[in-house]
Amino acid sequence: MLSYFKKFLVFIFFASFVYLCSLTLWANIPYSYIGSNFLYRQGSYGHLNTRLKEIPEYGEVDILFVGSSRVYRGFDPRIFKENGLKVFVLGSSSQTPLHSYILLNRYLKVLNPKLVVFDLLPNTFANKGVEPTLDLLANDRIDQLSFEMAFEQNDLMVWNTMIYASIMNVIGKHNDFEEPIHKPKDHDTYIKGGYVHKDSSFQKEVEICEKEKSMKWHEPLDVQLNYFKKMISLLDRNNQKFVFVNMPIAHFHCYSNNDILKAYIPESVPYLDFNRLLDFHDSTDFYDEYHLNEGGVDKLDEYFINEFYNLKPN
Amino acid sequence: MLFHTLDFLYFFAIFFFLYWFLFKENIKAQNILILVASYVFYGWWDWRFLSLIAFSTVVDYAVGRGIYNSPKTQKKTILLWVSIITNIGILGFFKYFNFFAENLGNLLRTVGFEPHETTLNIILPVGISFYTFQTLSYTIDVYRSKIKPASDFISFAAFVSFFPQLVAGPIERASHLLPQFYKKRQFNYLLAVDGSKQILWGLFKKVVIADKCGELANLIFDNSADLNGSSLILGAIFFSFQIYGDFSGYSDIAIGVSRLLGFDLKQNFAFPYFSRDIAEFWRRWHISLSTWFRDYLYIPLGGSRGGISGKIRNTFVIFLVSGFWHGANWTFVFWGFLNALYFLPLLLANKNRVNTDIVAGNGFFPKISDFIKIIGTYILTTFAWIFFRAESISHAIEYISGIFTGSFSADPFFSTNHWGNIFITLALIAFFQVSEWYGRFGKFGLQNLFIKNNRLIRWSFYSVLIFLIMIYYQTDRSPFIYFQF
């Protein structure tokens, strides 16, 4: 039996080496057309690659916005700059609390904001988060937190992508990618400070429910609630002032449980529900169910600039 | 607990350690461990059905001893019927009650009655078709004095519930498997290596071939009304490899796992898609079931003896029952009927035992005539698989009509991603079949592949298989098809 286990162990080492070589080869074929547990996509939806590369040179900010695409398509740094405020939007597509925790761990001290604004989107709390994990693995640094993220997901696609990203990191190719600022296919342009501007010509049909309160947000997952608490602890440990917001959506009135996440917010932390504080029109302020158009962004940002001074950050 | 999950890996690792390190000197302790582990394995699916398998075990153990100890033939026969009624009764209730209730209702409606619909919310216990047949073969063999009854209950219970083959076979004969529970098991290096290779090959067949083919087969069968002829043909091909990869993959893993524990299980698939005629196909496909039907139904009915009418009757009985065994749906019965139609001409012409050797045994390439026969047999079996897979007879007929009336150009239904998937799946099937062709002299495809080459080549091939398994493993766990039987 000993010789069996010895040979088995040697084979495992050999197979691991072949695995790494095979994965490296696989990454260089058009694998997305043939389906597989692997997705290393630099420069994907949402300009995360450019956003994160900007941070080291960006300097300290007044406000740091954290969340999903609602955030990086909702807060325009140019509007804040006109009003004397420097902001950064630290968001990614479908970003969950797990990913917000990872990003804050990495970049909070560098950006050193006076105020952190975190968007509470129920969908992101109910999502395991494989897609944003893959996004982060391909477009951000590889470190201990990447391993924590991969362990938490425990998904083959994540592990394979993690392994490849680590290889690319070791050989120094992970940070070579140059993302285009303008992506005509997506109608997107990256604006310094983390905002992604959607061309004003782009408009999807905004589908609204037939009956009010006929839909329900899904219950949050334990893992995301756990990371939400860890994120709050991280902010508290850094004596960081923060607020929670609920970004506007076109079909707010369709849901019967819009306050599903309120139960998890500490009482001492301010919460701004923009759907209730402002009057957004489904047909004129949004370009799809979840994202504001240019007019909607102007309305939101001007409101928030006024609110910022009421929140009295340090 | 599926074989291709982490749950099973942890389960088996703990079991393996206890089996070979803690209890290796004690056969009884090993058998108790097998029994406990098997009940844990089975209970993982649904603990409520443990009582069913326990009941079947107790009845057949008592019947076996009763038959052996009875001097009178009449009493032996009564006891045998107790076993048959118990096992077939359990199987019949859980698997066929609703089928018969619905069909009786439909029949009564055609003659003007409006019966009160009585169908029950019956869950089909996993593996019931397999373990009931396994225990039934035990009592029948004791009755026929082919074997002595089990000498102790623990060994017998472990034999019935042996977890590697409990839920989807192979259906083992007591004469082959039960004695292995009385003998001391030795860890054999060569058997363990062979077993490990068979597990790897089984995982490749299930995770890569079956699941990839299943994705596309499901897409095509679920949308068959919207697809053209070429897509429907592809769908049938994909299903033929899905069911082969899935079922033979499971058998390979079951046999491989058993080998790691020092047990020898019978081969269940012998490269059936290289068969030159239908009779050869049925000697190579789900061997444990077809030999079960041969020994316990076909031969008692008279087999091939008797006149032509006897041969025809017995052939249809076997194939219809075999079809019905697969599921409570007329599609399975019709599938059996089709196979009977295929088989009968060979039997009546005494040509059902012509191709008993390994195809192209003297060389690499088959003769042109053999190649044509292989393709022809494959087409016939795949045609029959359409009925096996379809939701209903009418769905199967629509599907087949679609093949013959639809166009054969590129189907606009499929997006670019679909075409990529179709291409890679066909490439994987080709890789799989070429490997099996090279390995057809062994008991499974990987057994002797590259055995004459150096270790670097062999290990590289195994490593590539592992890579393909990991790259195509579906995280939303796809169960094995034969679990539903």
Side-chain angles (χ1 to χ4, degrees), chain A residues 4 7 19 33-37, chain B residues 189 196 420 470-473:
Chain A
Y4 173 80
K7 268 226 180 95
Y19 195 91
Y33 292 108
I34 55 177
S36 62
N37 288 325
Chain B
Y189 172 82
S196 306
M470 299 298 267
I471 215 74
Y472 280 118
Y473 181 89

Side-chain angles (χ1 to χ4, degrees), chain A residues 221-276:
Chain A
L221 297 176
D222 286 343
V223 60
Q224 297 302 349
L225 287 174
N226 186 37
Y227 273 94
F228 181 60
K229 286 185 200 144
K230 285 175 86 162
M231 192 187 71
I232 293 173
S233 299
L234 172 70
L235 293 168
D236 283 339
R237 275 200 313 276
N238 285 274
N239 294 318
Q240 181 62 60
K241 177 123 180 128
F242 57 97
V243 301
F244 294 118
V245 300
N246 189 8
M247 294 292 283
I249 53 167
H251 47 324
F252 181 74
H253 51 281
C254 294
Y255 292 91
S256 60
N257 61 345
N258 280 309
D259 295 328
I260 187 172
L261 295 177
K262 262 182 114 175
Y264 305 102
I265 302 171
E267 276 183 27
S268 56
V269 180
Y271 171 61
L272 303 172
D273 187 345
F274 296 127
N275 296 283
R276 293 180 170 121

